[in-house]
Amino acid sequence: MDHDHGYKRMFSHPEMVADLLRGFVHEPWVAQLDLATLEPVSGSYVSDDLREREDDIVWRARWGDGWVYVYLLLEFQSTVDRYMAVRLLTYVGLLYQDLIKAGATTAEGLLPPVLPLVLYNGERRWSAPTELADLIVPVPGGLEAYRPDFRYLLLDEGAFGESELSADRNLAAALFAMEHSRRPEDVQAVVHRLGEWLRAPEQRALRRAFSVWLGRVLIPGRFGGERLPPTNDLKEMETMLAERVKEWQEEFRREGLEQGKQQGIQEGMQQGMQQGMQQGMQQGMQQGEASVLLRLVERKFGVEAAAAHRERIEGADAETLLLWSERILTAESVEELFR
């Protein structure tokens, strides 16, 4: 729930919605929008059967003499909703009913255009149809002419490439990049860029929104540990994150050493009293050093780098392992680590 609410708060800022449209809706009409006029619209509608429905976020922006509405549905469920097109058709219908009741039509009685947009950040790739017609059985003989013509725009975060998530000064891309980061160092790099982008005094609320989301949602949820205190200064958040990275690395090291120690004791006992408990403990400690170093290399430089150097690490002596374990805290590349 913290994650869902945190995301919703992030997209309650017009700058986030504007960058989402600029960076990820690649359609000509977006360039004609006056994104400086973005404003939120009430998101609570009551259907005719008196069942209240809460949609996610609705924004509108000026497009010429009229408005364009952006219906932003945030999807955090672990399973893909096959009938999302039906849900969105219902929600857009409720939005139109509300606009009709409010008299928000053109002088000719026409309704404004609506962009139904699904922002999905689940682990599995989205596989549900984005067009309602694909959910209806084909009927011959002309009946297909009455089939509803409705589609929604899907933004599947996990399907974005690195180039899309590294867009210059795009806040939505920065959010997605942090969401899908696997290493704390990657998050730290994005936070550094955000601190450079969001310096203006009027961006204080947005700085705090990122800070709260990082400290209360992303970091404890992705990397474990206690929540970081919120701050209005992203530079301060970057400093706290850097300190937390060092703590995590030291924690991984201690865990690996303890695990290796226990493993060494067990192996020493299995080898027999003749070889001695001390030899088993020393061997276990060395295996533990190798295990924790492999884990740190994987966290900092990636799975492929750890796999490529596994044999070298596991074959190193205790003194060399200790040297590498100290050097990884400052090494900028795997080559520098093993130089």
Side-chain angles (χ1 to χ4, degrees):
M1 291 300 293
D2 283 347
H3 184 279
D4 297 6
H5 293 160
Y7 240 61
K8 191 168 183 177
R9 281 195 294 268
M10 292 301 300
F11 284 98
S12 66
H13 293 269
E15 299 95 332
M16 292 294 299
V17 180
D19 276 2
L20 182 70
L21 294 173
R22 289 191 195 101
F24 298 93
V25 182
H26 306 298
E27 297 175 1
W29 61 270
V30 175
Q32 303 174 29
L33 287 177
D34 183 0
L35 294 175
T37 64
L38 270 169
E39 61 182 39
V41 180
S42 172
S44 180
Y45 309 102
V46 179
S47 59
D48 289 339
D49 59 4
L50 301 183
R51 291 180 303 173
E52 186 177 83
R53 294 176 182 266
E54 289 289 341
D55 64 78
D56 285 76
I57 306 173
V58 180
W59 288 83
R60 69 175 186 175
R62 278 287 180 184
W63 182 53
D65 295 331
W67 294 94
V68 168
Y69 286 73
V70 177
Y71 198 115
L72 180 57
L73 183 64
L74 306 177
E75 272 298 304
F76 302 104
Q77 59 191 29
S78 58
T79 57
V80 175
D81 186 352
R82 174 171 173 77
Y83 298 101
M84 176 58 72
V86 178
R87 282 177 56 190
L88 270 173
L89 176 64
T90 303
Y91 294 162
V92 172
L94 291 171
L95 172 60
Y96 275 141
Q97 285 184 352
D98 191 68
L99 295 176
I100 292 170
K101 292 176 183 177
T105 59
T106 67
E108 297 79 16
L110 298 178
L111 292 163
V114 176
L115 169 65
L117 194 157
V118 174
L119 180 59
Y120 171 69
N121 73 339
E123 292 295 331
R124 295 172 54 193
R125 298 286 60 78
W126 189 265
S127 57
T130 57
E131 296 195 30
L132 184 61
D134 293 335
L135 294 169
I136 301 175
V137 175
V139 179
L143 186 56
E144 68 275 4
Y146 305 99
R147 182 174 56 192
D149 184 12
F150 178 82
R151 71 174 61 183
Y152 61 90
L153 176 62
L154 170 71
L155 297 183
D156 184 349
E157 289 184 27
F160 295 147
E162 184 178 348
S163 60
E164 292 174 287
L165 298 184
S166 59
D168 186 35
R169 294 188 177 275
N170 188 291
L171 300 175
L175 179 67
F176 301 157
M178 289 189 292
E179 177 74 13
H180 289 275
S181 294
R182 291 293 176 263
R183 302 184 305 165
E185 296 90 339
D186 296 334
V187 177
Q188 194 175 350
V190 179
V191 173
H192 177 76
R193 294 202 301 269
L194 284 171
E196 297 295 320
W197 299 346
L198 301 176
R199 289 181 172 182
E202 62 270 18
Q203 295 173 315
R204 180 177 181 274
L206 195 52
R207 289 197 300 271
R208 182 171 179 81
F210 269 105
S211 172
V212 170
W213 182 74
L214 281 162
R216 295 183 179 177
V217 179
L218 179 68
I219 293 174
R222 176 61 54 79
F223 305 110
E226 298 179 355
R227 296 178 175 183
L228 296 178
T231 172
N232 294 327
D233 186 355
L234 282 172
K235 289 294 184 183
E236 184 177 343
M237 174 59 71
E238 182 183 356
T239 301
M240 289 190 293
L241 184 58
E243 293 173 354
R244 184 62 60 88
V245 168
K246 293 181 180 178
E247 292 174 5
W248 287 329
Q249 291 175 335
E250 182 59 30
E251 183 179 346
F252 295 149
R253 175 182 171 84
R254 289 196 301 268
E255 290 176 356
L257 289 174
E258 183 61 28
Q259 180 181 0
K261 180 180 178 180
Q262 296 300 323
Q263 182 179 351
I265 293 174
Q266 294 175 2
E267 292 180 357
M269 293 177 66
Q270 292 173 357
Q271 291 172 358
M273 296 297 295
Q274 294 82 359
Q275 298 179 7
M277 187 66 71
Q278 185 63 33
Q279 179 183 353
M281 290 181 63
Q282 291 177 350
Q283 181 180 357
M285 289 288 288
Q286 187 168 335
Q287 291 175 347
E289 287 275 0
S291 176
V292 72
L293 181 59
L294 277 170
R295 190 172 179 182
L296 290 174
V297 170
E298 180 177 330
R299 280 296 185 97
K300 190 163 187 179
F301 303 114
V303 176
E304 294 182 358
H309 295 277
R310 174 179 294 276
E311 184 175 351
R312 182 178 187 180
I313 292 173
E314 292 179 344
D317 58 30
E319 183 177 355
T320 303
L321 288 173
L322 179 60
L323 173 64
W324 289 342
S325 297
E326 293 174 348
R327 188 181 292 168
I328 197 170
L329 297 176
T330 57
E332 297 293 334
S333 66
V334 72
E335 291 79 13
E336 181 180 350
L337 173 64
F338 294 111
R339 73 174 185 271

